[in-house]
Amino acid sequence: MDNNKSTPLNTGNVSEAIEDIRRMFVDETQIKRIVTQNQTPAKRAAFAKTHGIVNGVLQINDDIDAEYQVGIFQPGNSYTVWARYSSDTAQTAPDFETTVGIGIKVFNVSGKKVLEEEPDGTTVDLILQNTPVFFAADAIEMSDFKAAAMSGNLEEFRKTHPESAKILDSMEKEVPSLLTEKYWSCIPYKFGDEYCKYIIEYQAASDPSSTINVKNNNYLAQDLSERLMNGNAILNFYIQKRNNPENQSIISARSLWDEKEAKPVKVATLTLYQQNILTRKQFAYGESLAYNIFRTLPEMVPVGSIAEARKVVYQSSAMVRRNVNGESIGEPVQPRSTRFLHHDSFTPTLNNPWPPGKILDVDMDIDKITYDLIEGFSSKGENRIAKSGNSYYNNVIVSARDIPADTFIYIGFNKSIDNTLINGGVFYENTASTSGSIRLFFEPKLMQQVSFELILSGSLSIDVREIRENQSSEVNLETSNYADSNEIIILKNPSPFTVLSFNFTQQTMAFSIKNLKMKISN
């Protein structure tokens, strides 16, 4: 059993071990990637793969007991947060069976902070991951592990450290969703005159719009994006106070505090708002943030040599990354505005330096601006929508609610119609020879005009419809009929419309929609 004395568990120099950990993670790993792989932008030294940056609020319970009123946990307090979900792997590596974590930056927290460089900062960071304990007991053991991993002697380390090996094996597990996963702080923290650990547990979230394939490289980001596009996510935040020092070590980060003995108490609710995490520059904003567990109040300071090592590594890694990327070194004073949570994302290139769609008719009244957008249905890669399902893109919901048979809408796949190869777009093959509809619901909800490339084998009717406020039914504004065509279709109506319905019959063999261009009026 890991002991609880006030000295390190292993013999050796803790300060030297911490510097060795920093050197191996930052100098020999992070900087090496930046220099030899021309990594642009530079990534973190650990948990480098970002799945999404999410806005929300941390609401402290109104009825929190007096013994839990420590630091930020004051009754009724509410804090804006930006949370970063990540995996401890490279940005290009698969998500499957990676260790995942959440970093929560809490804004507008008054009081002196522990981090020496930012005593007057106004943020507090909380970092948790989906394992209840750290695999290394202290900094000396962590230094030995990292050295073994970098020298190719990891198997020998595992043989001589069976407890660490067991935890490492348990960390390689399938994660169905970032939002439904349980997270722990792993390491202990001061909690006033006592000690605690933090826990986050799922309460409620919307389902994703499509079937998520866990073998896809970026399935965690897709799941997170679709769930938050559909609604808020609600997570419970717990404090687990130490009540048995004999069994609950504050020295060993590998010490498991039994939740039946030290029962967690809910002290707050973390609500992640409904939003489009693919919105413009939200990912870049998350990458620019730096998280450090010592960016906190003195009464909430983390304890143990693993905590001290993380402090040093996080500081050094953030400094390197921000310098290379040309970002500000200091901590933000205010959170990013939520005004842009639903705006479209755009990544400029040399060939397309400006967003697709420019302001056409500019009016001083922002509600009367008209602009163009293009949807290529490529933001999620290849995607299948099953019967009754739907999938969200930047401005369009593709709905299969009116497909009667167990068939799929294919999006982003390479398919053929009558020997014509189709690259990407929305594709439907009527293999069951039934009648039904595929609908496009437009997010801005005030569409002036749409155009797209239609490739059709058989016959098809297309309805332009409107969903009016306070009405459950749709109003059909216009119907067009097509047969065996390969042409650019332009649909417009004097009244703004909100739904495009592609109605197929038994005579429809297959059809594809590509290069959807939308003229939108706010």
Side-chain angles (χ1 to χ4, degrees):
M1 179 183 296
D2 293 321
N3 64 41
N4 190 41
K5 298 177 182 178
S6 58
T7 55
L9 298 177
N10 298 318
T11 58
N13 189 305
V14 173
S15 296
E16 289 180 2
I18 290 174
E19 170 54 23
D20 284 342
I21 295 169
R22 187 211 64 79
R23 173 181 51 78
M24 287 185 282
F25 269 99
V26 180
D27 297 350
E28 297 181 16
T29 302
Q30 182 188 23
I31 294 177
K32 183 178 180 180
R33 285 199 219 109
I34 294 169
V35 174
T36 62
Q37 299 176 18
N38 193 27
Q39 190 184 67
T40 306
K43 300 293 183 181
R44 289 165 167 79
F47 281 84
K49 184 168 187 176
T50 301
H51 302 301
I53 179 75
V54 184
N55 174 252
V57 61
L58 182 67
Q59 179 66 53
I60 311 303
N61 292 356
D62 291 329
D63 58 351
I64 186 171
D65 289 345
E67 64 177 300
Y68 290 93
Q69 295 177 19
V70 175
I72 65 173
F73 301 104
Q74 302 302 317
N77 277 10
S78 180
Y79 304 95
T80 294
V81 302
W82 279 94
R84 175 183 179 261
Y85 280 102
S86 61
S87 278
D88 192 18
T89 189
Q91 191 69 45
T92 55
D95 294 341
F96 190 63
E97 294 187 347
T98 57
T99 302
V100 298
I102 180 173
I104 305 168
K105 189 166 291 292
V106 184
F107 285 85
N108 299 320
V109 180
S110 59
K112 291 291 183 181
K113 305 302 184 298
V114 176
L115 208 58
E116 296 87 346
E117 293 81 2
E118 304 167 10
D120 299 317
T122 58
T123 56
V124 162
D125 291 344
L126 304 167
I127 301 177
L128 302 91
Q129 61 190 67
N130 67 333
T131 180
V133 293
F134 205 69
F135 65 87
D138 58 18
I140 294 173
E141 193 168 73
M142 181 62 192
S143 175
D144 292 342
F145 165 81
K146 188 64 177 175
M150 294 185 68
S151 62
N153 296 315
L154 190 54
E155 283 305 312
E156 182 62 29
F157 175 89
R158 291 171 65 93
K159 290 177 182 178
T160 57
H161 297 76
E163 290 182 80
S164 295
K166 184 178 179 180
I167 296 171
L168 287 167
D169 289 339
S170 71
M171 292 164 65
E172 295 180 2
K173 59 183 179 181
E174 181 180 320
V175 178
S177 170
L178 293 166
L179 294 177
T180 61
E181 196 73 354
K182 187 174 181 179
Y183 298 87
W184 295 264
S185 62
C186 296
I187 60 171
Y189 289 73
K190 277 190 65 66
F191 196 67
D193 295 329
E194 301 180 82
Y195 297 94
C196 79
K197 291 185 179 183
Y198 303 133
I199 299 172
I200 289 177
E201 197 162 23
Y202 164 79
Q203 178 180 321
S206 298
D207 291 331
S209 302
S210 60
T211 301
I212 305 298
N213 183 353
V214 298
K215 295 302 176 67
N216 287 346
N217 272 19
N218 301 304
Y219 82 91
L220 289 173
Q222 180 186 349
D223 177 85
L224 180 67
S225 173
E226 292 189 15
R227 287 177 184 268
L228 290 178
M229 192 75 82
N230 292 342
N232 291 350
I234 301 174
L235 309 175
N236 297 322
F237 194 101
Y238 296 86
I239 296 291
Q240 184 190 27
K241 286 178 62 176
R242 184 172 77 150
N243 60 8
N244 186 343
E246 289 298 318
N247 295 334
Q248 300 153 14
S249 174
I250 60 171
I251 300 300
S252 170
R254 199 168 55 215
S255 173
L256 178 65
W257 295 11
D258 190 337
E259 292 179 23
K260 293 180 180 179
E261 180 179 44
K263 294 183 178 179
V265 173
K266 182 183 175 183
V267 296
T269 299
L270 175 60
T271 300
L272 304 176
Y273 294 130
Q274 181 179 11
Q275 61 196 280
N276 177 8
I277 66 170
L278 303 177
T279 194
R280 182 176 302 184
K281 295 302 179 184
Q282 190 152 317
F283 182 89
Y285 174 67
E287 289 295 82
S288 72
L289 296 176
Y291 294 84
N292 195 312
I293 51 177
F294 278 80
R295 187 175 286 114
T296 190
L297 299 167
E299 59 269 35
M300 297 171 59
V301 67
V303 294
S305 62
I306 288 292
E308 293 288 345
R310 291 172 72 178
K311 170 189 175 182
V312 172
V313 172
Y314 291 173
Q315 280 180 302
S316 179
S317 173
M319 185 73 73
V320 167
R321 176 169 54 87
R322 285 173 156 178
N323 272 319
V324 171
N325 293 339
E327 297 166 344
S328 297
I329 299 298
E331 188 69 357
V333 177
Q334 293 293 330
R336 185 186 191 222
S337 171
T338 59
R339 176 183 175 189
F340 305 105
L341 286 183
H342 299 287
H343 285 231
D344 308 306
S345 60
F346 174 71
T347 303
T349 65
L350 288 175
N351 294 328
N352 297 289
W354 306 109
K358 55 187 176 181
I359 300 298
L360 300 177
D361 304 315
V362 180
D363 192 297
M364 291 304 291
D365 183 351
I366 189 65
D367 291 331
K368 295 181 180 178
I369 291 181
T370 301
Y371 55 98
D372 290 342
L373 292 166
I374 298 176
E375 178 55 68
F377 299 108
S378 60
S379 60
K380 299 177 185 176
E382 294 183 352
N383 186 28
R384 294 193 306 175
I385 308 175
K387 171 187 172 183
S388 302
N390 54 68
S391 188
Y392 285 70
Y393 291 84
N394 289 330
N395 299 283
V396 184
I397 303 169
V398 181
S399 172
R401 74 178 197 189
D402 295 318
I403 293 181
D406 291 325
T407 52
F408 294 96
I409 301 174
Y410 293 88
I411 300 181
F413 288 79
N414 294 335
K415 296 288 183 178
S416 294
I417 295 178
D418 294 338
N419 297 320
T420 298
L421 180 63
I422 304 161
N423 297 309
V426 179
F427 174 89
Y428 183 74
E429 186 174 11
N430 190 16
T431 54
S433 297
T434 59
S435 298
S437 297
I438 292 175
R439 299 182 181 216
L440 304 186
F441 292 87
F442 300 104
E443 277 295 295
K445 297 185 171 59
L446 290 171
M447 197 64 56
Q448 292 283 6
Q449 173 182 307
V450 297
S451 67
F452 51 87
E453 181 182 352
L454 176 65
I455 304 173
L456 170 64
S457 177
S459 59
L460 191 74
S461 68
I462 302 175
D463 292 344
V464 174
R465 304 184 182 189
E466 179 186 3
I467 300 177
R468 292 178 178 168
E469 291 185 11
N470 304 318
Q471 292 187 5
S472 58
S473 61
E474 298 171 10
V475 178
N476 193 5
L477 303 176
E478 180 182 292
T479 301
S480 303
N481 296 292
Y482 301 90
D484 292 323
S485 59
N486 186 347
E487 58 182 310
I488 302 296
I489 307 297
I490 300 176
L491 299 174
K492 55 186 176 180
N493 195 280
S495 298
F497 52 92
T498 52
V499 181
L500 208 56
S501 182
F502 294 82
N503 310 305
F504 56 88
T505 67
Q506 293 177 354
Q507 285 70 47
T508 309
M509 264 93 58
F511 64 93
S512 173
I513 311 155
K514 291 187 59 180
N515 300 322
L516 180 69
K517 299 181 181 180
M518 301 161 276
K519 180 177 284 188
I520 299 168
S521 174
N522 281 342

